[in-house]
DNA sequence: GTGCCATCTTGTCAATGACAAGTTAGGGTG
DNA sequence: CACCCTAACTTGTCATTGACAAGATGGCAC
């Protein structure tokens, strides 16, 4: 049929891309493979995103928005915020994988910059509420520990002994920051 | 000239690859571009490494060995070990970038597995000496915080306020783990 | 000096990203 | 209702790439 005006292609391409990246990483992503999965012509993705970097920019932007949502839902407690960060990374692996690899996308895209700023604000806010101190060093330590744990978990570098529940393990690890 | 028996091609290709990756990330690495930079034919890299994944496997293995060296030089203090970890990531950015991205290489390669085990041992050793406690959770927390800081630093996600000396900033951040 | 074999080359193929140019349909305007 | 105007897609093409096959070269053992 190849009916024109799919109507929803942009959204479908984004979620299909997320699936593909979750399976084999951003490096293996192919626009043409994506188009095939979505049942459209090989040049359709380029129309919506310009090029591959454009697609990944959109994906990263969506990722920062999803992260902001997750952090908001976690409430005010810093420990919960940290666990939510790890939970986001595990649940939205593809987004997370792209977000912190700025060489893959256009890091100066206005929408992306705005979304990134929003999620960063929430992160810093959680730390300030907990410690009351000058948040700089504490925020950096908290962000580092949750980001590091999430990254190591996703890379499969952690020994099996850590278990299979990333959020529970994260809670233990983050706890060490306040002992 | 195109003299056969370059003699040192494997080593040259590895260091050239590290340069290229440091410039534009592992995704942008091209075997043919590499061959061009080294002044050899477009198929020479494949001879030494089989394929792209083979090259990255070799690079990751070399990376784990370099990390082990850096950790050994740091001595017994846990804080110094952590700073050394961050220092390694910054100084050998390309290696670090590849090491924790197992989908890019053959993670079950015997040499790589051995090198990774060696550096892991040094990391755990540093933690055990400092705390004396059951090292699992502490080691994980320490590894997470240094790995997270290094990753965030390299990704450029940190605000300028953190400064331009990653090792000094790392020392402050890691200190928060024992306060 | 002869043969062997690791090292490197040339040649080729399918797949890919990017771009140019064409096609379709749906909504607003007259 | 006819028109067209534009966003949403398509077809076609090109240079580049990774992988592989087959050939060339030269040092080294014997």
């Amino acid at each position: 049929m190849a009916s024109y005006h799919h109507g929803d292609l942009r959204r479908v391409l984004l979620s299909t891309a997320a699936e593909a990246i979750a399976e084999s990483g951003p490096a293996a992503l192919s626009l043409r493979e994506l188009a095939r999965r979505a049942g459209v012509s090989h040049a359709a993705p380029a129309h919506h995103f310009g090029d591959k970097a454009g697609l990944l920019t959109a994906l990263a932007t969506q990722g920062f928005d999803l992260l902001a949502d997750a952090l908001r839902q976690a409430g005010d407690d810093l420990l919960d915020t940290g666990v939510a960060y790890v939970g986001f990374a595990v649940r939205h692996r593809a987004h997370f994988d792209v977000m912190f690899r700025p060489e893959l996308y256009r890091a100066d895209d206005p929408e992306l910059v705005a979304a990134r700023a929003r999620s960063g604000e929430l992160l810093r806010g959680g730390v300030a509420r907990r410690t009351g101190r000058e948040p700089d060093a504490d925020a950096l330590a908290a962000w580092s520990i949750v980001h590091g744990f999430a990254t190591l978990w996703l890379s499969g570098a952690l020994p099996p002994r850590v278990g299979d529940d990333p959020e529970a393990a994260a809670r233990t690890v983050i706890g060490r920051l306040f002992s």
Side-chain angles (χ1 to χ4, degrees), chain A:
Chain A
M1 36 170 294
S3 77
Y4 279 38
H5 287 184
H6 181 293
D8 211 19
L9 226 205
R10 189 188 157 92
R11 212 177 49 79
V12 168
L13 284 176
L14 274 180
S15 68
T16 307
E19 279 178 40
I21 292 175
E23 288 167 19
S24 6
L29 184 68
S30 149
L31 292 184
R32 290 171 106 107
E33 168 66 22
L34 226 62
R36 249 170 269 139
R37 290 206 205 186
V40 292
S41 83
H42 65 88
H47 171 69
H48 285 280
F49 301 104
D51 57 3
K52 200 172 184 174
L55 198 170
L56 293 177
T57 303
L59 204 69
T61 303
Q62 192 182 52
F64 282 111
D65 282 336
L66 288 169
L67 174 59
D69 288 348
L71 294 182
R72 256 187 295 266
Q73 282 194 353
D76 274 358
D77 184 65
L78 177 55
L79 197 51
D80 291 336
T81 301
V83 173
Y85 190 96
V86 173
F88 164 79
V90 173
R91 255 183 287 280
H92 299 279
R93 177 189 186 124
H95 290 89
F96 188 81
D97 256 12
V98 173
M99 287 158 64
F100 295 96
R101 209 149 301 165
E103 78 272 13
L104 293 179
Y105 58 84
R106 274 181 274 281
D108 56 348
D109 178 271
E111 288 190 43
L112 182 131
V113 169
R116 190 176 50 197
R118 280 194 295 273
S119 64
E121 203 51 47
L122 285 167
L123 218 52
R124 290 182 52 79
V127 176
R129 273 192 299 279
R130 164 99 184 201
T131 68
R133 290 190 291 182
E134 167 57 35
D136 280 12
D138 288 319
L140 200 48
W143 191 13
S144 293
I145 204 168
V146 293
H147 188 82
F149 181 83
T151 305
L152 290 172
W153 179 277
L154 290 180
S155 79
L158 297 181
R161 175 169 11 92
V162 176
D164 59 351
D165 182 352
E167 293 176 272
R171 195 170 288 273
T172 305
V173 165
I174 303 169
R176 282 287 188 279
L177 198 55
F178 312 119
S179 63

